[in-house]
């Protein structure tokens, strides 16, 4: 930045329409407390369950308490010539926009739908503002478990056998869907919505009756669902950081309190444990780290991601299960804890992600958007 005294304006977005609204508030609380006030001017934007944006210096508290009367409705425009956050003010029967602040970097601390799936990233691209984390394609591919597995397969990255079905197929041809599912592998089978998180709509099905119920449950959440071979698995997670030069942390392991890492085991049962580092043979540790980097590169990830794997307890095979492009980010979450274990503190991690966002924008600025003869500009 030109003037070293000039603080970087960072807009932190949190809350949102997604089912992971509350997790987002927890992540944002940690991030806001880590942003160095000497270096950054922080603009808090809380997004309600309905999707309305609010600005306020205490927006996080206000959203937490469900009382936004101290905050002002705000927005970001898709027009790149109108940089930054605008307040929406009511004057008589009109709503007027007034410019609040330019923005150098947006940190979307939004997990799941509308936050981690490329939609907000699309808006940020349109606005031509730097932002933390993956772009549109990597976010969308990382979110959609079906397309993600297609990409993994194309890159020879091991994933468990799966099939995708649509809501329409489940509703109109259930017996056919069941027969095809039973061809994937013997029970147990896992059923999950293609685009969701926090284990919502995920079921472990031990027999045909449970599969029937699992299918009907999953289609409540998404138009497309997956049926997968169920693995008796250890759950291994690796944190990734970087843009062009990508680094992988040591692996961690989750010991879920339930039969699998269900919604309840994730957020309500404090018997779920994180092991850092995961107790793995050195060779397997190296392999898990290399798989994480290959996965991140295969989807063209940027900034950060947590790559979650399933280690088959019986065969010792390691499969990539999913990638989270905006992983849980509280101080006690796996993503920052894995970096902490290799010497990158939480505030350093946040600084690094902001630098990576600026680097990514600078890289993008090199692109030409119209044909130009090579000799021009020389
Ligand atoms: N094929 C599978 N075999 C064994 N366990 C699985 C499988 N798929 C999912 N799980 C279990 O379900 C949990 C949630 O599934 P996951 O695919 O990670 O969805 P989410 O995006 O909701 O976290 C995993 O952490 C794991 O415990
Ligand atoms: Mg998961």
């Amino acid at each position: 930045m030109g003037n070293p005294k000039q603080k970087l304006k960072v807009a932190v977005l949190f809350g949102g329409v997604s089912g992971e609204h509350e997790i987002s508030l927890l992540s944002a609380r940690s991030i806001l407390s880590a942003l160095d006030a000497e270096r950054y001017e922080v603009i808090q934007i809380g997004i309600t369950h309905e999707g309305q944006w609010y600005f306020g210096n205490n927006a996080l508290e206000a959203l937490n308490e469900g009382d936004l009367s101290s905050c002002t409705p705000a927005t970001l425009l898709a027009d790149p010539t109108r940089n930054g956050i605008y307040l929406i003010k009511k004057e008589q029967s009109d709503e007027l926009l007034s410019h609040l602040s330019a923005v150098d970097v947006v940190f979307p601390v939004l997990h799941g739908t509308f936050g981690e799936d490329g939609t907000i990233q699309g808006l940020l691209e349109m606005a031509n503002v730097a932002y933390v984390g993956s772009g549109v394609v990597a976010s969308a591919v990382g979110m959609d478990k079906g397309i993600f597995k297609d990409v993994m397969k194309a890159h020879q990255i091991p994933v468990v056998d799966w099939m995708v079905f649509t809501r329409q197929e489940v509703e109109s041809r259930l017996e056919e869907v069941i027969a095809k599912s039973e061809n994937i592998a013997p029970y147990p089978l896992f059923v999950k919505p293609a685009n969701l998180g926090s284990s919502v709509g995920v079921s472990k099905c031990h027999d045909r009756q449970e599969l029937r119920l699992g299918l009907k449950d999953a289609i409540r959440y998404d138009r497309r669902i997956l049926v997968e071979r169920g693995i008796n698995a250890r759950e291994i997670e690796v944190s990734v950081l970087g843009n062009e030069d990508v680094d992988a942390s040591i692996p961690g392991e989750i010991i879920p309190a339930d039969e699998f890492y269900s919604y309840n085991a994730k957020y309500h049962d404090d018997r779920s444990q994180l092991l850092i580092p995961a107790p793995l043979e050195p060779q397997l540790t190296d392999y898990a780290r290399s798989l994480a980097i290959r996965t991140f590169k295969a989807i063209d990830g940027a900034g950060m991601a947590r790559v979650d794997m399933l280690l088959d307890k019986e065969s010792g095979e390691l499969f990539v299960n999913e990638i989270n492009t905006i992983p849980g980010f509280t101080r006690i979450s796996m993503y920052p804890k894995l970096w902490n274990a290799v010497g990158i503190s939480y505030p350093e991690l946040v600084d690094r992600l902001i630098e990576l966002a600026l680097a990514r924008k600078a890289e993008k600025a090199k692109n030409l958007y119209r044909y130009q003869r090579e000799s021009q500009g020389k």
Side-chain angles (χ1 to χ4, degrees):
M1 296 275 101
N3 178 352
K5 293 222 179 72
Q6 187 104 33
K7 290 186 190 178
L8 214 55
K9 294 185 170 65
V10 180
V12 182
L13 311 185
F14 45 82
V17 178
S18 135
E20 288 162 288
H21 180 104
E22 279 71 26
I23 320 301
S24 158
L25 299 185
L26 294 175
S27 294
R29 176 182 300 283
S30 293
I31 289 169
L32 289 171
S33 73
L35 284 165
D36 181 358
E38 299 279 306
R39 293 176 66 179
Y40 306 114
E41 186 180 321
V42 176
I43 302 159
Q44 291 190 32
I45 303 286
I47 306 178
T48 65
H49 283 286
E50 289 70 41
Q52 232 186 340
W53 291 30
Y54 280 92
F55 161 76
N57 291 327
N58 62 342
L60 181 66
E61 290 314 319
L63 205 54
N64 256 322
E65 285 159 18
D67 177 6
L68 288 158
S69 53
S70 61
C71 300
T72 313
T75 193
L76 181 105
L77 301 174
D79 177 346
T81 67
R82 296 178 196 283
N83 176 292
I85 299 295
Y86 285 76
L87 298 180
I88 305 171
K89 296 199 164 150
K90 263 214 148 52
E91 276 196 13
Q92 286 147 10
S93 60
D94 289 333
E95 291 196 324
L96 305 176
L97 293 183
S98 74
H99 191 238
L100 171 72
S101 171
V103 167
D104 297 307
V105 179
V106 172
F107 198 145
V109 189
L110 300 164
H111 311 300
T113 331
F114 301 113
E116 200 173 346
D117 61 0
T119 51
I120 185 89
Q121 288 75 15
L123 172 65
L124 298 170
E125 288 289 339
M126 295 292 291
N128 198 30
V129 59
Y131 57 95
V132 170
S134 282
V136 173
V137 169
S139 301
V141 172
M143 186 75 194
D144 187 300
K145 293 182 163 73
I147 305 287
F148 173 71
K149 282 200 159 69
D150 288 331
V151 173
M152 293 297 100
K153 205 169 175 184
H155 286 260
Q156 286 101 40
I157 295 171
V159 289
V160 299
D161 289 334
W162 85 101
M163 280 184 84
V164 173
F165 300 103
T166 62
R167 180 183 287 148
Q168 198 191 1
E169 286 173 303
V170 173
E171 280 172 350
S172 60
R173 299 195 293 276
L174 183 61
E175 295 314 309
E176 193 182 313
V177 170
I178 288 173
K180 284 182 178 166
S181 300
E182 288 179 342
N183 264 333
I184 299 171
Y187 289 101
L189 294 168
F190 271 81
V191 182
K192 53 181 88 164
N195 293 276
L196 217 66
S198 286
S199 302
V200 172
V202 178
S203 343
K204 180 174 183 177
C205 311
H206 302 83
D207 55 37
R208 188 172 295 173
Q209 180 53 16
E210 286 184 8
L211 177 62
R212 197 169 272 139
L213 294 174
L215 290 166
K216 286 184 178 159
D217 186 48
I219 59 165
R220 293 165 59 221
Y221 297 101
D222 203 348
R223 193 178 60 77
R224 285 161 60 256
I225 61 162
L226 277 76
V227 179
E228 287 181 13
R229 175 185 155 207
I231 303 283
N232 181 9
R234 287 172 64 186
E235 303 203 36
I236 306 298
E237 303 190 342
V238 179
S239 296
V240 177
L241 181 65
N243 289 341
E244 310 292 327
D245 299 316
V246 182
D247 205 4
S249 71
I250 51 167
E253 179 166 1
I254 303 276
I255 312 281
D258 276 351
E259 192 183 349
F260 69 96
Y261 204 28
S262 62
Y263 185 86
N264 179 57
K266 279 181 185 170
Y267 304 118
H268 296 301
D269 196 327
D270 55 17
R271 290 172 306 156
S272 293
Q273 288 177 47
L274 312 187
L275 300 185
I276 297 173
L280 299 175
E281 297 290 315
Q283 238 179 332
L284 202 51
T285 292
D286 291 345
Y287 180 54
R289 295 179 66 206
S290 74
L291 272 188
I293 292 175
R294 282 171 60 201
T295 300
F296 188 75
K297 291 195 165 177
I299 68 163
D300 191 30
M304 63 174 163
R306 198 190 69 228
V307 179
D308 296 351
M309 304 176 196
L310 300 169
L311 175 61
D312 191 325
K313 287 182 190 169
E314 281 133 43
S315 69
E317 281 171 285
L318 193 59
F319 300 96
V320 169
N321 179 40
E322 63 161 345
I323 188 166
N324 292 285
T325 50
I326 307 185
F329 217 109
T330 69
R331 282 181 191 262
I332 58 162
S333 299
M334 185 65 108
Y335 182 80
K337 281 186 87 169
L338 287 174
W339 286 120
N340 202 53
V342 294
I344 304 178
S345 73
Y346 190 99
E348 280 168 349
L349 184 59
V350 172
D351 290 344
R352 184 87 189 98
L353 288 169
I354 289 171
E355 281 165 23
L356 287 166
L358 291 169
R360 176 96 163 156
K361 168 115 186 291
E363 187 61 37
K364 182 187 165 191
K366 295 179 189 165
N367 295 344
L368 297 175
Y369 292 98
R370 277 188 299 255
Y371 173 67
Q372 230 177 62
R373 281 219 310 260
E374 258 187 73
S375 59
Q376 281 186 0
K378 278 195 178 164

